[in-house]
Amino acid sequence: MNKLLDKKTLRKFLIINGENVETESYSPLYSPYSGELIAEIAMGDEAATKKAIAAAFEAKKVIGNMPAYERAEILENVVRILKERTDEIAEIISTEAAKPIVFAKAEVARTVETYKFAAEEAKRIHGETLPFDAASGGVGRIGYTLREPLGVIGAITPFNFPLNLVAHKLGPAIAAGNTVVLKPASQTPLSSLFIAEVFAEAGLPAGVLNVVTGPGGVVGEALIEDERVNMITFTGSPSVGIGIRNKAGLKKTTLELGSNSALIIDKDVEISEIIDRCTMGAFSNQGQVCISLQRVYVHEDLYEEFTGKFVEATKKLKLGDPLDPETYISSLISKKELERTLSWIEETKQSEAVVLTGGKARDNILEPTIIANADHCLKVSCQEVFAPIVIVNKVKSVEEAIDYVNDSRFGLQAGIYTNNVKNALYATKNLHVGGVIVNDIPTFRVDHMPYGGVKESGTGREGIKYAIEEMTEMKLVVWNQG
Ligand code: NAP
């Protein structure tokens, strides 16, 4: 029997100050693929969230006084334990998120790297010395800056990378000497509870990391409103993110939000060499990736060849049980999401767009879907689709493609395949996004690079070093030597 289905471990509690904390109510957690009950999750409320904040507030002294090498050691221990327990956590991710096990294992491998980067960066947090005598009034002074932890960080995370996107909050926060109250997505709390257990085993003092499961509207609001919380770091949908920003006032916020990421294919590209990357970019994790490949703009000279080969490769992808190692595509996170995406596909059928492959549900799994000639007003083009749906449109030039890419509320990452240096340089200058990827898909990400968006894709950057900058504040020290 799946370990998750063991009755004794079915009930999951809040973790506050190193203790399991019961709540008045519990909510059943079902597998999005099989519909099986996999756990009963404690529903934190405002009072429980305040208790977690109080624990985190108290623990500031403990982590704040801990030397960098000890914080790095704890993060190194997390790396070691995660490596030892890879199969177990991959199965948890796969079960709670319907993420095909090959991608769940890849997520664990990336998470190991993320915590490794955090362990390394913990030892590199420093300020700079200042030449005070550059100002006539500064002669006789010496000074420097320090980077100090912010204090208590409220971390709110999404369902789609329930281990690694949590690592992008916990890794830099703890490396920099902050404490955390983590509110994971309601569909994927098990990965967060697992990592809290790993941190405790790794030697993290009680109260530094607290996990409050429960409804976003309740737990999230309590975190945003509490004055003891110094920063909200949020990854999730633009609508929730914008709401948080509006309520946060002067509280620091980092928002990692959604997108409708695009790829440009220039006329001189060898199509057969890029098909695997495009398939992965559009369909891995059922397209539920913030930088999933959603829009492709192909030069008219290569359009027929690209669509033909892309459709052929897509038809070979295996749909099924996320725990089957052969599965490439499984269920979306909920039935509601399946219905939404089917209705968006239906909208395209009322237009001049053509569904080249997919477009239907097979049991509860949406087939990987390619849509040609989609008008930019259609939802599958201008909104974030967050599903295995990609549009492919014909363009006459790279300039025209860039105009389409920029005609978006979002701007996370964009890709361009080209062998023409002038076109590549033109694209890097003119694409209005957080990151331009030359000769790869916009879905490219490794965990130390600066990552974040412009426009409604968010504010602030992740990538451990950059997140540490967001999670620390500068203090100036000036000595009068006179
Ligand atoms: P979501 O619905 O916005 O939820 C994200 C988190 O916010 C969850 O923990 C959710 O809790 C919580 N939440 C909901 N309402 C809230 C409120 N009023 N106040 C505070 N917190 C609240 O997003 P999702 O469906 O989990 O994730 C998909 C979205 O995340 C997509 O838009 C995707 O592009 C984006 N994303 C962005 C990045 C990036 O780095 N830019 C990475 C991954 C995903 P509940 O689950 O309890 O509702």
Side-chain angles (χ1 to χ4, degrees):
M1 188 172 69
N2 183 331
K3 270 186 249 108
L4 290 171
L5 299 179
D6 179 347
K7 283 281 173 208
K8 277 182 262 161
T9 60
L10 207 59
R11 195 158 264 209
K12 299 286 175 185
F13 309 102
L14 312 182
I15 299 176
I16 298 177
N17 207 19
E19 306 279 336
N20 281 339
V21 173
E22 299 241 24
T23 52
E24 274 175 23
S25 66
Y26 289 79
S27 180
L29 181 69
Y30 299 103
S31 145
Y33 171 71
S34 66
E36 273 176 293
L37 180 68
I38 50 176
E40 284 171 3
I41 305 298
M43 287 292 102
D45 56 10
E46 193 185 337
T49 311
K50 284 192 177 302
K51 200 172 160 189
I53 295 169
F57 193 79
E58 205 42 44
K60 281 198 304 185
K61 297 191 278 285
V62 182
I63 190 99
N65 289 327
M66 186 184 277
Y69 82 90
E70 282 184 23
R71 300 196 304 272
E73 255 171 32
I74 291 170
L75 290 158
E76 286 289 359
N77 289 341
V78 169
V79 168
R80 177 181 48 77
I81 300 166
L82 268 183
K83 279 185 185 163
E84 287 162 9
R85 297 178 71 182
T86 290
D87 289 348
E88 185 187 345
I89 179 60
E91 197 179 314
I92 291 174
I93 296 170
S94 191
T95 307
E96 68 177 354
K99 179 172 289 201
I101 193 76
V102 281
F103 295 117
K105 284 189 177 163
E107 179 175 348
V108 182
R110 271 185 63 185
T111 308
V112 165
E113 281 200 345
T114 304
Y115 283 118
K116 180 87 181 142
F117 285 127
E120 290 161 358
E121 287 299 333
K123 299 177 182 175
R124 294 198 275 256
I125 300 170
H126 52 78
E128 60 182 353
T129 52
L130 295 160
F132 270 89
D133 63 354
S136 55
V139 174
R141 264 83 172 166
I142 185 168
Y144 49 88
T145 58
L146 300 169
R147 293 222 65 105
E148 296 192 330
L150 289 180
V152 178
I153 297 201
I156 305 176
T157 52
F159 74 82
N160 62 334
F161 285 85
L163 195 68
N164 196 32
L165 291 180
V166 166
H168 274 282
K169 314 289 186 206
L170 305 187
I174 290 166
N178 294 288
T179 63
V180 182
V181 178
L182 169 65
K183 149 59 192 130
S186 287
Q187 181 55 44
T188 54
L190 300 178
S191 305
S192 287
L193 295 169
F194 176 93
I195 202 68
E197 189 186 308
V198 169
F199 264 105
E201 194 186 330
L204 190 71
V208 175
L209 169 59
N210 307 274
V211 185
V212 183
T213 49
V218 177
V219 179
E221 295 276 326
L223 283 172
I224 298 156
E225 275 164 20
D226 198 298
E227 284 184 2
R228 291 167 295 181
V229 177
N230 304 90
M231 174 191 191
I232 297 289
T233 171
F234 173 82
T235 302
S237 58
S239 57
V240 175
I242 290 164
I244 288 174
R245 184 65 181 247
N246 288 340
K247 282 181 221 138
L250 278 181
K251 189 169 289 181
K252 201 163 180 185
T253 49
T254 293
L255 303 175
E256 299 291 341
L257 311 178
S259 193
N260 56 351
S261 299
L263 171 69
I264 299 167
I265 301 176
D266 201 358
K267 64 180 173 189
D268 55 6
V269 171
E270 183 50 62
I271 292 298
S272 54
E273 285 174 9
I274 68 170
I275 292 295
D276 283 353
R277 291 295 287 164
C278 291
T279 312
M280 201 277 280
F283 304 127
S284 63
N285 199 20
Q286 287 86 255
Q288 298 167 129
V289 180
C290 45
I291 38 176
S292 188
L293 176 53
Q294 180 174 333
R295 300 179 291 153
V296 188
Y297 297 104
V298 191
H299 193 278
E300 57 189 359
D301 292 358
L302 295 179
Y303 186 76
E304 300 302 328
E305 183 189 353
F306 177 77
T307 49
K309 289 184 172 155
F310 195 24
V311 167
E312 193 188 325
T314 300
K315 282 184 170 161
K316 288 184 191 149
L317 302 178
K318 186 168 180 289
L319 279 56
D321 185 338
L323 290 168
D324 177 348
E326 302 283 302
T327 296
Y328 201 94
I329 297 205
S330 191
S331 310
L332 287 172
I333 200 69
S334 66
K335 287 210 167 58
K336 204 169 137 214
E337 280 296 278
L338 178 62
E339 281 155 23
R340 173 186 66 79
T341 49
L342 285 170
S343 79
W344 286 19
I345 293 170
E346 211 39 54
E347 184 200 38
T348 68
K349 291 182 182 163
Q350 316 304 318
S351 75
E352 288 181 358
V354 182
V355 177
L356 297 180
T357 185
K360 303 185 296 303
R362 231 183 277 168
D363 298 324
N364 60 351
I365 301 177
L366 182 67
E367 292 175 345
T369 300
I370 301 177
I371 299 169
N373 195 26
D375 187 89
H376 77 283
C377 296
L378 291 169
K379 292 196 187 76
V380 290
S381 177
C382 67
Q383 297 202 21
E384 180 182 35
V385 76
F386 222 58
I389 302 174
V390 55
I391 65 157
V392 185
N393 283 6
K394 196 185 285 188
V395 289
K396 287 188 165 48
S397 65
V398 166
E399 288 84 349
E400 185 190 357
I402 289 171
D403 288 344
Y404 282 125
V405 176
N406 287 342
D407 182 18
S408 170
R409 287 153 50 203
F410 307 110
L412 199 44
Q413 294 197 153
I416 175 167
Y417 278 108
T418 182
N419 286 311
N420 181 322
V421 174
K422 277 191 185 159
N423 284 350
L425 287 170
Y426 182 84
T428 55
K429 182 164 162 49
N430 290 290
L431 285 166
H432 189 202
V433 287
V436 177
I437 315 293
V438 179
N439 285 331
D440 207 346
I441 48 177
T443 325
F444 173 80
R445 183 180 183 189
V446 285
D447 294 282
H448 62 310
M449 71 188 217
Y451 181 76
V454 298
K455 301 194 266 186
E456 288 185 30
S457 291
T459 57
R461 290 293 178 269
E462 288 196 337
I464 303 301
K465 175 181 161 208
Y466 307 93
I468 286 174
E469 271 171 34
E470 309 270 354
M471 292 177 176
T472 52
E473 57 198 354
M474 186 187 285
K475 179 186 275 176
L476 170 69
V477 180
V478 185
W479 291 68
N480 182 353
Q481 301 179 102

